Amino acid sequence: MNELEAKIKIDELTDELKEHSYKYYVLSQPTIGDTAFDLLLKELEKLEESYPQFMRNDSPTKKVGGEITREFVTVKHKYPMLSLGNTYSEEELQEFDNRIKKSIGDDTSTSLSKGFEYVCELKFDGLAIGLTYEKGKLIRAVTRGNGVEGDDVTNNVKTIKSIPHQLKEGNYPDEFEIRGEVFMHKKTFEKLNENLKKELEAKGFDEEEIKEKLYKNPRNFASGTLKMQDSREVAKRPLDAYLYFLYSDIPVADNHFDSLKKAASWGFQVSDHYQKCKSIEDVFAFVKKYETERFKLSYEIDGVVIKVNDYHQQQELGFTAKNPRWAISFKYKAQSAETILQKVTYQVGRTGAITPVANLTPVQLAGTTVKRASLYNADEIERLDLHENDYVYVEKGGEIIPKITGVNLQKRQSDSQKIKYATHCPECDTELIRKEGDVVHYCPNETGCPTQLKGKIEHFIGRKAMNIDSLGAETINGLFDRGLIKNYADLYDLKYDNLIGLEFTLGDSDEMKKRSLQQKSVENILKGIEDSKQIPFERVLFALGIRMVGETVAKKLAQHFYSLEKLSIATMEELLNVHEIGEKIAEQLFKYFADVNNKLIIDKLKNAGLQFEMIQDHSIVRTNKLQGKTFLVSGVFTISRDDLKKQIELNGGRNVSSISKSLNYLIAGDKMGPEKLKKATDLNIEIISEEEFKQLIT
Ligand code: IVH
């Protein structure tokens, strides 16, 4: 590499790493894994070492990491929040041990010659937090930020049950800081992400958008949560924390191990998985043990942290610009396995979107057997250049669903054919389409593709739609396959005699069970269908499953047009007049109402007695007094916040959830947060009281 090439490469790497840093620390939405990031960083470090003249001032190798988010108050750390050096191999760990030995272990001239010991701990994969306690009371919780200063997230941290707000009587110092890691348990993550997915679906986001918005792993979810502005939202997303380091001007012990024990005795949650190690061999054993044990834990770890135990020795060893010399982390590589790609199959969603799935020869990976991996879309297959019977590498990093990261080209057969993306729907054989600029293929046979039709019926009966919970996916399947229902309107034709004694097969082909409908279930199904006729219009509209018309959009449309009749004849202009309804949604509405089949279905539903109009409450007064104005409601009022928001909407105004330049009014109640007030004042936003708001609408 010549000088020019080196300069270009350093520039490129710097920019790339800065971008990744921003995505990781600020957006909490990284696009590459930790290992890949570290490798890039190491590459840059090496180049900078050889060509220091090209090292940029903003080089990520100079920084501890992180950027600061704007919304929180920034607090300077009393003790800088450093990160640890990373190692990936036993050799590097051995080198670390050699360095320590050289500095203290073999030195017979000082009192530190008695040898040393390590403490091995787990490296929790979450976000670092520093908690300051005064007289046993939690007074501040600050994120790492850039290592020098971070965000004050005390209110959010107070929602974490395992973090004490007040310590019981004890012999702790008057003032100290304890550091640890905030994280989310794997189970909690899966459940919440699943809910979030449903919420996004209900709001009309398409599959691609949902995939982008979902949290990739528990760490991102925890990070996104901790940075939320509304602590009540944070409380709904349970986080947890392990504490692992104590800072105090008056030492409470002369080594780290004893400090951890003390912290635990004061009421802090300290992990049980830590251990004193007398030699580097003991450290290797600890590392080895958790390489497999980690998959049994309820949370994710990405390695092991090794710390010199004795505080004097820690002091002696000191720090480099970025890291303590007395500690290091050993990071586990993302778990990867090699297996054979048997075939690619395709799943069809209710909207016709096609998802390719890699079917693999089962292989053990990170404690589970992997048989399938997501392939996302045709571009991904192209990017990986997948061929039939390829030996592929599957990886389970932070992500829950394994993915294919590459192909072992050495094992590819010379005559092996490239994977050709499906041209026809696997369910109904209709030719697939892919619109320009779209990454997803669709089956356009909306009215004939059985999987789409069944999916639409399942959506129709869903809890947030018609809520017919006595029907499930299996019953729908059985009814559909027998020709008893072809669409959701047919549900309203079902009679007792059609259903009694009907036999269904449950489960997948591995484990089939038969069930037949008995009197009680039939009665429940019919009652559920009958009751659904009272479901209000906005939910009926959502239940129809019009593309991009999720729960929120349906609500807006219903409140604006009052009836399906009016909505179905609305012009583009009228539709665009409804806030947040854009051209894409309008187009889908036109398409839906223009379809003869849909017209027939709607007529049938109308005849069955479903609600196709808003029930008007004449006691409610509506005005346009607040037309075009936006409001943010913050604090406590004489009426509930929801009622206040409703009044805003009834008078034509719009509620927003954050302060920006375009906000018209901030309605300030009691106990409103000082940050909000400051931000609104800075942006010159009109701040009014509840009383003043009432005057606006009377
Ligand atoms: S000790 C100077 N112990 O890993 C002491 N850190 O790259 C530094 N981490 O920022 C921290 N588990 O967010 C320590 N048992 C553990 C840890 C741990 C996870 C994180 C922490 C830190 C990063 C270091």
Side-chain angles (χ1 to χ4, degrees):
M1 186 179 284
N2 64 31
E3 281 213 344
L4 183 63
E5 283 166 348
K7 182 174 178 348
I8 293 172
K9 191 75 200 161
I10 286 178
D11 266 344
E12 266 174 23
L13 283 169
T14 306
D15 288 337
E16 194 180 341
L17 282 161
K18 278 185 73 179
E19 179 66 24
H20 286 309
S21 243
Y22 176 77
K23 284 182 181 159
Y24 184 91
Y25 288 105
V26 182
L27 304 181
S28 301
Q29 297 272 15
T31 48
I32 63 165
D34 287 356
T35 319
F37 182 89
D38 288 338
L39 287 176
L40 288 176
L41 195 67
K42 284 210 163 147
E43 191 183 343
L44 179 62
E45 262 169 359
K46 247 177 130 178
L47 276 172
E48 285 175 344
E49 241 174 66
S50 315
Y51 301 94
Q53 69 272 35
F54 300 138
M55 177 172 177
R56 281 179 19 192
N57 278 337
D58 61 346
S59 171
T61 58
K62 280 187 167 183
K63 276 215 216 153
V64 180
E67 298 287 340
I68 302 169
T69 42
R70 232 170 293 125
E71 299 89 335
F72 292 99
V73 173
T74 346
V75 179
K76 194 165 182 317
H77 294 297
K78 183 167 175 191
Y79 314 92
M81 239 189 196
L82 299 177
S83 66
L84 298 172
N86 292 325
T87 53
Y88 288 91
S89 64
E90 271 196 14
E91 293 80 64
E92 284 178 293
L93 211 48
Q94 183 66 61
E95 279 166 26
F96 167 75
D97 184 56
N98 295 346
R99 284 199 299 274
I100 305 275
K101 273 199 190 121
K102 208 165 159 198
S103 296
I104 51 172
D106 296 336
D107 184 354
T108 44
S109 64
T110 76
S111 59
L112 303 172
S113 60
K114 291 178 211 107
F116 60 94
E117 53 189 12
Y118 294 117
V119 176
C120 282
E121 295 166 25
L122 302 182
K123 185 166 176 358
F124 309 103
D125 197 10
L127 305 85
I129 195 84
L131 311 172
T132 303
Y133 282 79
E134 279 176 19
K135 299 213 169 11
K137 187 171 182 237
L138 171 65
I139 58 152
R140 207 177 313 112
V142 184
T143 64
R144 184 161 90 158
N146 60 11
V148 177
E149 44 186 25
D151 289 330
D152 183 334
V153 289
T154 313
N155 288 338
N156 289 350
V157 163
K158 280 186 174 166
T159 67
I160 302 175
K161 293 205 174 64
S162 56
I163 292 184
H165 293 198
Q166 176 69 53
L167 302 175
K168 293 196 192 77
E169 289 287 303
N171 61 341
Y172 40 79
D174 262 4
E175 196 188 326
F176 66 89
E177 183 176 340
I178 188 158
R179 292 207 176 142
E181 201 86 349
V182 172
F183 63 90
M184 187 179 272
H185 288 276
K186 289 189 268 194
K187 280 259 155 57
T188 315
F189 163 75
E190 280 163 37
K191 213 170 85 209
L192 290 179
N193 226 18
E194 192 51 41
N195 291 349
L196 181 63
K197 184 169 171 211
K198 288 192 190 136
E199 221 172 86
L200 293 168
E201 275 167 357
K203 283 187 179 155
F205 288 99
D206 65 30
E207 277 151 83
E208 266 306 299
E209 290 169 320
I210 292 176
K211 241 182 245 161
E212 242 168 56
K213 284 194 176 352
L214 283 183
Y215 288 96
K216 303 286 178 290
N217 54 49
R219 203 212 78 87
N220 292 153
F221 210 144
S223 163
T225 302
L226 205 60
K227 288 182 186 156
M228 291 177 93
Q229 294 295 312
D230 186 347
S231 301
R232 285 164 310 178
E233 278 306 311
V234 179
K236 290 183 200 152
R237 303 166 159 206
L239 297 171
D240 204 346
Y242 277 126
L243 285 319
Y244 50 62
F245 208 82
L246 197 66
Y247 285 93
S248 158
D249 290 340
I250 308 159
V252 299
D254 59 13
N255 66 65
H256 175 60
F257 189 86
D258 292 345
S259 294
L260 285 183
K261 292 266 177 238
K262 283 244 162 92
S265 76
W266 302 335
F268 288 109
Q269 178 160 270
V270 175
S271 160
D272 291 331
H273 304 275
Y274 68 105
Q275 178 182 310
K276 271 191 210 170
C277 290
K278 293 235 175 286
S279 67
I280 197 70
E281 284 71 32
D282 289 356
V283 172
F284 289 152
F286 187 92
V287 166
K288 190 137 206 84
K289 176 175 170 197
Y290 282 97
E291 180 148 27
T292 46
E293 286 285 301
R294 64 183 169 136
F295 301 113
K296 296 186 193 145
L297 301 171
S298 67
Y299 46 87
E300 294 196 333
I301 63 163
D302 57 346
V304 165
V305 177
I306 301 113
K307 300 171 185 168
V308 168
N309 190 24
D310 187 278
Y311 283 154
H312 289 291
Q313 291 176 336
Q314 284 188 6
Q315 230 172 6
E316 189 106 334
L317 287 157
F319 299 85
T320 69
K322 287 200 303 177
N323 311 126
R325 286 202 187 87
W326 44 264
I328 199 152
S329 76
F330 179 92
K331 287 232 222 167
Y332 293 120
K333 292 206 186 74
Q335 288 280 301
S336 155
E338 193 181 311
T339 185
I340 303 168
L341 170 68
Q342 294 178 336
K343 62 173 181 220
V344 175
T345 53
Y346 300 85
Q347 284 172 350
V348 189
R350 102 179 135 81
T351 59
I354 307 288
T355 314
V357 179
N359 292 254
L360 309 163
T361 302
V363 62
Q364 278 300 113
L365 178 64
T368 51
T369 311
V370 175
K371 294 186 218 160
R372 276 179 282 269
S374 173
L375 285 170
Y376 310 106
N377 52 49
D379 290 354
E380 177 72 358
I381 296 178
E382 193 60 37
R383 186 183 73 81
L384 292 163
D385 185 32
L386 289 182
H387 282 50
E388 279 165 11
N389 297 317
D390 262 350
Y391 281 77
V392 292
Y393 302 115
V394 275
E395 221 174 72
K396 214 171 171 186
E399 291 78 21
I400 298 298
I401 307 162
K403 60 174 182 236
I404 296 184
T405 52
V407 175
N408 184 345
L409 291 175
Q410 273 157 5
K411 291 199 188 163
R412 179 178 284 168
Q413 306 285 322
S414 56
D415 57 349
S416 140
Q417 297 293 307
K418 222 177 137 112
I419 297 281
K420 286 201 193 77
Y421 201 80
T423 52
H424 290 74
C425 174
E427 307 287 344
C428 71
D429 211 30
T430 305
E431 192 169 349
L432 300 180
I433 53 163
R434 180 184 185 174
K435 285 206 200 111
E436 226 184 277
D438 212 340
V439 284
V440 183
H441 282 74
Y442 281 95
C443 163
N445 183 15
E446 273 182 60
T447 50
C449 179
T451 313
Q452 286 188 58
L453 292 172
K454 281 187 240 177
K456 285 189 170 76
I457 304 174
E458 276 167 35
H459 169 77
F460 183 84
I461 62 168
R463 199 169 51 82
K464 291 190 168 174
M466 304 306 279
N467 193 24
I468 311 178
D469 59 2
S470 46
L471 278 173
E474 262 117 7
T475 325
I476 296 290
N477 220 359
L479 293 171
F480 189 93
D481 290 346
R482 264 155 236 253
L484 284 165
I485 51 170
K486 292 194 191 62
N487 54 53
Y488 42 66
D490 292 344
L491 289 173
Y492 296 89
D493 287 341
L494 290 175
K495 304 271 176 318
Y496 187 88
D497 289 345
N498 299 136
L499 298 168
I500 191 79
L502 262 187
E503 279 203 340
F504 301 117
T505 322
L506 300 179
D508 57 21
S509 50
D510 291 348
E511 204 187 315
M512 303 260 255
K513 279 194 217 126
K514 276 209 179 331
R515 180 177 82 114
S516 78
L517 283 185
Q518 303 300 314
Q519 185 189 347
K520 189 95 197 114
S521 324
V522 175
E523 282 169 3
N524 273 339
I525 292 175
L526 291 172
K527 182 170 183 310
I529 296 176
E530 191 56 33
D531 288 352
S532 75
K533 295 178 183 171
Q534 302 311 319
I535 295 286
F537 171 48
E538 57 193 49
R539 279 172 56 187
V540 177
L541 182 56
F542 168 58
L544 294 180
I546 305 171
R547 260 177 86 183
M548 301 189 74
V549 179
E551 218 186 331
T552 317
V553 172
K555 201 167 165 185
K556 289 211 163 100
L557 291 169
Q559 282 170 352
H560 191 93
F561 292 100
Y562 295 111
S563 72
L564 193 84
E565 184 85 51
K566 292 208 181 97
L567 173 65
S568 65
I569 53 167
T571 61
M572 178 60 103
E573 200 187 345
E574 282 167 336
L575 285 171
L576 294 181
N577 260 338
V578 187
H579 183 71
E580 277 177 20
I581 304 295
E583 260 173 47
K584 272 191 172 175
I585 299 179
E587 266 166 31
Q588 293 298 339
L589 286 164
F590 282 135
K591 198 170 148 219
Y592 183 85
F593 291 118
D595 189 301
V596 196
N597 235 315
N598 291 337
K599 278 188 188 145
L600 290 174
I601 291 176
I602 288 175
D603 280 344
K604 197 163 174 184
L605 293 175
K606 270 187 191 157
N607 289 335
L610 268 65
Q611 305 293 321
F612 277 107
E613 276 182 28
M614 290 285 268
I615 299 165
Q616 302 244 15
D617 181 347
H618 293 289
S619 63
I620 294 178
V621 191
R622 289 171 188 274
T623 76
N624 300 332
K625 287 194 171 138
L626 309 179
Q627 193 69 42
K629 299 276 185 265
T630 54
F631 292 82
L632 180 81
V633 174
S634 178
V636 181
F637 301 90
T638 58
I639 57 172
S640 83
R641 254 203 301 264
D642 278 344
D643 282 345
L644 190 56
K645 286 182 181 171
K646 214 177 255 166
Q647 287 200 19
I648 293 171
E649 279 172 14
L650 284 171
N651 289 284
R654 190 156 62 78
N655 290 294
V656 296
S657 55
S658 63
I659 300 182
S660 68
K661 268 195 291 208
S662 60
L663 176 67
N664 296 109
Y665 296 100
L666 169 68
I667 313 184
D670 279 352
K671 301 194 183 134
M672 187 180 78
E675 291 119 79
K676 276 216 176 98
L677 188 63
K678 182 172 180 314
K679 200 163 172 191
T681 321
D682 288 350
L683 291 172
N684 258 334
I685 283 153
E686 192 163 342
I687 302 167
I688 58 172
S689 65
E690 184 179 350
E691 204 38 52
E692 284 165 322
F693 169 73
K694 285 195 179 135
Q695 281 161 16
L696 281 182
I697 56 171
T698 45

